[in-house]
Amino acid sequence: MADASELPKSKEEKQAPAKPEEEDDVSSEEEETEDMDFLRNLFSRTLGLDSTNKVLDELTLEGVAQYIQSGKCKNIICMVGAGISTSAGIPDFRSPETGLYANLQKYNLPYPEAIFQIDYFKKHPEPFFALAKELYPGQFKPTICHYFMKMLKDQGLLKRCYTQNIDTLERVAGLVGDDLIEAHGTFYTSHCVSFCCHREYNLDWMKEKIFADDIPKCDKCSSLVKPDIVFFGENLPARFFSSVKTDFPRCDLLIIMGTSLQVQPFASLVSRVSKSCPRLLINMERAGQAEPLLGLLGFGGGMDFDSDKAYRDVAHISSCDDGCLALADLLGWKAELEELVKQEHARIDSHDKKEKASESSNAAANNSSASVAPEPTKKE
């Protein structure tokens, strides 16, 4: 995957006309003052002398709920990972016994991550497509967490959801278009891997190939066709980087859910919000904490939950669904959220039932027509 996000590059300096000696002296003094301010702030943060006021009344889930209800919060960004989909039946990647990487022995891989390595895929696509059949979108329903984000959207509070997931459950829950940045790509579309061809294919085309146990090949050039998910060794979508530059400086609440924050450049996004932006982690374990120096440089997040300097970071240790329900309860949304989940799951079940009935009817009709012998041609 791509290297860690770079800080925005400064604009090219234009050559200015020569200034009088007095102006040069003033400019030099201003630069020295800026340098001193930077060093003063650097040492004060490192030595715990920073006088930053707490953004939240209390560093708890209750404090976050009060902040949302205060009206100060209108641009929430959600950063989510595999942990928000585990209750839907989709395994995460790194859990020791139940995670995806711990259960790939049957594919005889040289190492677990090889199944998502682009070079390995091009030579040995069979393991990936066998796994894709097990995890293919359309077999799972969105979770409470997915619908909580949909409620944030409906309340006019969601700026964007940045997801590492490729299961498309955010789309199923109602986050589409501008609501969503699929940082690690999606199954929603696929493309031929040939640089000269790059023909696009839709979700239904890929599904038909995978469930027929066919290795998808391009209709035009016969090269492999790969879902538009980001493998190790590939760059993240360009839209990811352009959106980060505009979204994160405006963010007034960052909610991080179901991710270990170990994969770059996604993990470093927690450090891209302003110093006054509260950050809430809902996860089964703490994540995003870094050594002080790395935090200052913007790598790994540097989240601070417990020290005397903590002023904006909250860790709510629970499943993502339980955490979202607890926050919804504090916001007065719990009953509405539970009803939304119930209605949407019933709608999905009804749609699936009709689709299966239609498939069965078509199959029966095809079998019936195939079993009827053609009538003999009458002779004149």
Side-chain angles (χ1 to χ4, degrees), residues 57-117:
D57 292 336
E58 52 183 284
L59 299 180
T60 62
L61 200 64
E62 288 78 4
V64 174
Q66 291 168 10
Y67 175 71
I68 294 174
Q69 292 174 322
S70 71
K72 300 175 183 177
C73 182
K74 298 185 183 297
N75 291 289
I76 296 175
I77 291 178
C78 292
M79 288 175 57
V80 299
I84 74 167
S85 295
T86 53
S87 63
I90 302 173
D92 64 10
F93 286 85
R94 292 179 171 81
S95 292
E97 295 181 4
T98 59
L100 186 63
Y101 287 153
N103 291 278
L104 295 175
Q105 298 90 342
K106 59 186 174 183
Y107 299 120
N108 298 315
L109 300 167
Y111 49 92
E113 292 83 357
I115 202 164
F116 294 116
Q117 288 278 3

Side-chain angles (χ1 to χ4, degrees), residues 56 60-73 76 78 147-153 155-158 253 255 257 280 282 322-337:
L56 303 173
T60 62
L61 200 64
E62 288 78 4
V64 174
Q66 291 168 10
Y67 175 71
I68 294 174
Q69 292 174 322
S70 71
K72 300 175 183 177
C73 182
I76 296 175
C78 292
Y147 289 114
F148 177 77
M149 292 189 291
K150 175 61 162 59
M151 286 195 70
L152 290 176
K153 172 188 173 180
Q155 295 286 338
L157 298 174
L158 183 69
L253 174 63
I255 302 178
M257 298 183 284
L280 168 64
I282 301 176
D322 288 345
C324 287
L325 271 177
L327 182 54
D329 191 21
L330 292 168
L331 293 169
W333 302 352
K334 185 178 180 181
E336 185 180 352
L337 176 58

Side-chain angles (χ1 to χ4, degrees), residues 85 90 135-140 142 146 163 165-176 180 182 185-189 203 229:
S85 295
I90 302 173
L135 303 178
Y136 204 77
Q139 304 177 82
F140 307 95
H146 290 97
T163 179
N165 299 336
I166 58 174
D167 53 37
T168 72
L169 289 183
E170 295 89 0
R171 290 176 179 263
V172 178
L175 301 185
V176 293
L180 194 60
E182 292 162 316
T186 178
F187 268 100
Y188 200 70
T189 54
L203 185 68
I229 65 173

